[in-house]
Amino acid sequence: MRDGTRTRARIEAEALRLFAERGIAATSIRDIAGAVGVAEGALYRHFASKDELARTLFMDGYAALARRIQAAGLSGEPFGMIVEKVIRIFCELFDENRPLFSFLLLSQHAFLSEVARDASANVVEAVAEIFRRAMAEGAVAPGDPDLVAAMALGIVAQPATFTVYGRLAGPMSARVPALARAVLLAAGAAAPAPMRAGPAIRVV
Amino acid sequence: MRDGTRTRARIEAEALRLFAERGIAATSIRDIAGAVGVAEGALYRHFASKDELARTLFMDGYAALARRIQAAGLSGEPFGMIVEKVIRIFCELFDENRPLFSFLLLSQHAFLSEVARDASANVVEAVAEIFRRAMAEGAVAPGDPDLVAAMALGIVAQPATFTVYGRLAGPMSARVPALARAVLLAAGAAAPAPMRAGPAIRVV
DNA sequence: TGTACATCAGTGAACGCGCGTTCACTGATGTAC
DNA sequence: TGTACATCAGTGAACGCGCGTTCACTGATGTAC
């Protein structure tokens, strides 16, 4: 028989690209099949439905990010290092696989309610867990970890969204120090390290 | 003839509610007409198409918010006051008209590229303008105003998104001081005022 | 090595459903005289 | 005040299009002997 794993990978790549560009609803099965260069029916050898295809792409990408963030959070390093590491993970994945991140940002509203509330599959939960531990250890001023997690996610995700829309230019990786510094300050972290390079954001 | 303005207002309200709950694509003309209690054809007396209905709702709501933010930015008050005022506008409108905000947050990706790059119609531009002026006046450390605007918007919009999804509870208005403080710190504002009430976010 | 068979990825015409939209019609209400 | 007319918001059956999905079929490739 022919090897289906290559076709499946191409379907996933083209679907991701088209979903990210136009959205799920505006992308038809024929669009995807055409981009891959197969007949419509071929897609149903690999995915039960269009919905399952979109859901699989979202859940896999989202869980992979959550796992990496959780692992960084459990590394035992000081809080400031963890924040920078997590933001670096986010930014480098963004730069490496922009269609995936566009897709995650764009279609989060369709799937987020179905994601398990587990730090190993849920980005929000993984980030909240990091702040919960930091507060318990005194590295961050006490407060609502969910609120601080939301603000931290916003600080990183909104510039990513602006980059997708072309309002910000250049790689996200270049912004890691600025974003990490902003997150530490906004979260009320104890004595954030001074910035090492780049256009300084001076705190008077 | 019968007065059509009442029907039009009801169509707008029900469409907004349904678009916010399910998304535009998952809401049909029949759904909206059914919720209003009119025949499908009635909608076409007030809007040329479903797309025009959705676009009108988005552009009107988005421009109204942008105008209020721009006005606050031009009030001549000190930067710290402006930030708090803008965040209060955002949070109070969120609490008062949650369907509108859910709709704006959810469907921004469909329309944002069509919004004029004018501070009187574009929330992003209005916020960027405030930071541009603050940097020129020395109230904020020099840097990329678009990046700082993105981070500030993220700090406010992400908690709003979490509230829509039920991950954060309670009114956004209650978070105005905490959000304003986070924005000022993250933006590198000169000497932010100490917080007056609520669970303190202590900066060591 | 050669032959027969089973497997299954891929095909593409066809189906039926739900959608946005149309349009001839109704009838309530404002206006002219 | 009463009558004729014009206007236009609202009706709802009907239309046609594009969509997701199906399924009988093809043929390339792996396996058994």
Side-chain angles (χ1 to χ4, degrees), chain B residues 39-123:
Chain B
E40 304 100 83
L43 271 69
Y44 291 87
R45 298 283 166 216
H46 301 280
F47 300 93
S49 64
K50 181 189 175 183
D51 188 70
E52 200 217 68
L53 168 56
R55 179 171 278 102
T56 298
L57 290 174
F58 185 89
M59 294 301 176
D60 287 1
Y62 198 72
L65 180 59
R67 270 195 309 275
R68 293 203 54 185
I69 290 175
Q70 191 191 27
L74 295 172
S75 67
E77 293 174 284
F79 176 67
M81 290 293 173
I82 288 175
V83 166
E84 181 161 336
K85 204 180 219 174
V86 168
I87 293 174
R88 188 170 301 284
I89 288 167
F90 188 98
C91 291
E92 287 178 355
L93 276 176
F94 178 91
D95 291 336
E96 283 162 20
N97 196 347
R98 193 122 133 201
L100 174 60
F101 262 74
S102 300
F103 174 67
L104 291 178
L105 289 169
L106 246 84
S107 57
Q108 51 175 313
H109 301 292
F111 299 113
L112 231 48
S113 56
E114 301 172 31
V115 173
R117 252 177 124 112
D118 184 311
S120 66
N122 188 322
V123 170

Side-chain angles (χ1 to χ4, degrees), chain A residues 157-168:
Chain A
Q158 199 67 46
T161 305
F162 277 30
T163 302
V164 169
Y165 288 130
R167 186 167 187 110
L168 285 176

Side-chain angles (χ1 to χ4, degrees), chain B residues 144 174 187:
Chain B
D144 180 351

Side-chain angles (χ1 to χ4, degrees), chain A residues 1-2 7 30 38-42 45-46:
Chain A
M1 71 210 117
R2 284 159 283 181
T7 306
R30 282 166 183 80
V38 295
E40 304 100 83
R45 297 282 166 218
H46 301 280

Side-chain angles (χ1 to χ4, degrees), chain A residues 66 68-75 77-87 89 119 123-137 139-140 145 148-149 152 183:
Chain A
R68 293 202 54 184
I69 290 175
Q70 191 190 27
L74 296 171
S75 67
E77 291 174 286
F79 176 66
M81 290 294 172
I82 288 175
V83 166
E84 180 162 336
K85 202 180 221 174
V86 168
I87 293 175
I89 287 167
V123 171
V124 173
E125 193 55 45
V127 172
E129 204 168 81
I130 289 172
F131 283 107
R132 225 175 285 130
R133 188 174 308 112
M135 285 178 188
E137 291 170 355
V140 165
V148 180
V183 166

